[in-house]
Amino acid sequence: MSEKVLLIVGAGPGISLTAAKKFGEKGFKIALISRSNQSLQEYVNELKNDGITAQGFPGDASSEESLKAAIKQVLTTFGNVDVLLYNAAAGQPGVPTTLSTNQLIEDFKVSVAGALTSVKEVLPLMKNGAIILTGGGLALEPYAGYASLAIGKAGIRNLAYSLHQELQPKSIYVGTLTLKGFVKEGTYFSPENIAQAFYEMYEKQDQVEVVYEEK
């Protein structure tokens, strides 16, 4: 069993928590960042009940200052991060012309800028690590009614490819899982299946982008 550390930014009850359990079962210690301290405590308690070492750190992915402070606490507590899973995203529903510039920018901060902040904060202490960014099918096939989210997913996909080019020579794996469907229990897109896909990406580290779709 390893003593590695997984940091999940954008912790929630679906694929984030399930991914935490999957990596935790493999011996990882888990650090979770989310805006809600109450929710974080619930996730940590659930993980600890499964025998997984976990701790929550309140932080807002839309705020560079807040996110940096949270990750600094993670590094102080655990010493380093071996795997970063960025699973935060935001998207005000609506066709492009109904979106305000400010709303688009705020959503982009969560969907893309927060990912870059997270990467830059963990990199100095990461050796032979892995960075996995949660993508979406909207990056490949935009839908007007979710224009802001689609722009965010296109951005995170682009960032993954750029980071891969930069960091591969430094023995850091970067990949994105492009989810072409809606997360739902009991389907191909169940949190359990997606968490398994995340872990396989970490193990194999052979593709920048894994397009997750039902054949």
Side-chain angles (χ1 to χ4, degrees), residues 35-113:
R35 287 181 297 180
S36 170
N37 203 22
Q38 181 179 344
S39 296
L40 282 172
Q41 197 54 55
E42 292 173 1
Y43 306 147
V44 168
N45 289 342
E46 189 169 337
L47 291 168
K48 286 184 175 179
N49 287 339
D50 290 342
I52 297 168
T53 301
Q55 191 165 332
F57 303 85
D60 185 350
S62 69
S63 164
E64 184 176 8
E65 183 180 353
S66 173
L67 192 52
K68 282 183 174 181
I71 295 174
K72 184 176 180 179
Q73 286 187 306
V74 171
L75 295 173
T76 299
T77 302
F78 290 104
N80 70 293
V81 169
D82 297 283
V83 181
L84 167 67
L85 173 58
Y86 192 85
N87 192 45
Q92 176 70 29
V95 295
T97 55
T98 65
L99 297 172
S100 69
T101 303
N102 285 342
Q103 184 62 59
L104 185 64
I105 291 171
E106 287 304 308
D107 289 344
F108 195 84
K109 284 181 181 179
V110 177
S111 295
V112 183

Side-chain angles (χ1 to χ4, degrees), residues 1-6 20 22-30 51-53 78 80 82-83 199 202-203:
M1 301 291 278
S2 71
E3 283 294 320
K4 293 183 177 180
V5 178
L6 167 70
K22 170 61 67 174
F23 279 79
E25 290 168 0
K26 302 294 185 178
F28 277 77
K29 296 176 181 177
I30 309 298
I52 297 168
T53 301
F78 290 104
N80 70 293
D82 297 283
V83 181
Y199 193 78
Y202 161 69
E203 280 194 311

Side-chain angles (χ1 to χ4, degrees), residues 111-166:
S111 295
V112 183
L116 181 57
T117 296
S118 300
V119 169
K120 289 166 71 174
E121 289 303 299
V122 302
L123 268 181
L125 294 176
M126 180 178 275
K127 295 181 180 179
N128 300 314
I131 295 162
I132 301 174
L133 311 176
T134 304
L138 289 172
L140 306 176
E141 299 172 10
Y143 174 66
Y146 293 101
S148 182
L149 183 59
I151 289 168
K153 289 305 179 186
I156 201 77
R157 181 175 184 264
N158 189 294
L159 180 62
Y161 275 87
S162 298
L163 284 170
H164 173 77
Q165 291 174 25
E166 178 188 2

